Amino acid sequence: MTWRKSRRSGGGDCVEIAFDGASVLVRDSKDHRGAVLTIPVAQWRILRCSIARGHGDLPE
C-alpha cells in the first residue's frame, strides 16, 4: 500500500492517505504505527467536496 501526503503540506507533518480499493485510509504522518481512520470512498468524496467549498473552516 502506498501512503501519500498532500502536496500542500510543504513536507511538514500532516496526515497521509492510502487507498485500498473500497476505502481511504488516513493516518498521522508522524506516527506510522498509530491509529488509522478508514473512510468509505463515497464518504471520502463528500468530505473532499465539503472541504473544497470551505465547509468546516474556522472563523477568523
Side-chain angles (χ1 to χ4, degrees), residues 20-49:
D20 75 355
S23 301
V24 177
L25 310 174
V26 183
R27 72 180 182 187
D28 182 340
S29 67
K30 298 179 303 288
D31 186 7
H32 292 175
R33 295 182 183 200
V36 175
L37 177 65
T38 302
I39 304 171
V41 170
Q43 297 300 318
W44 176 255
R45 288 184 184 131
I46 292 168
L47 176 62
R48 285 188 54 199
C49 287

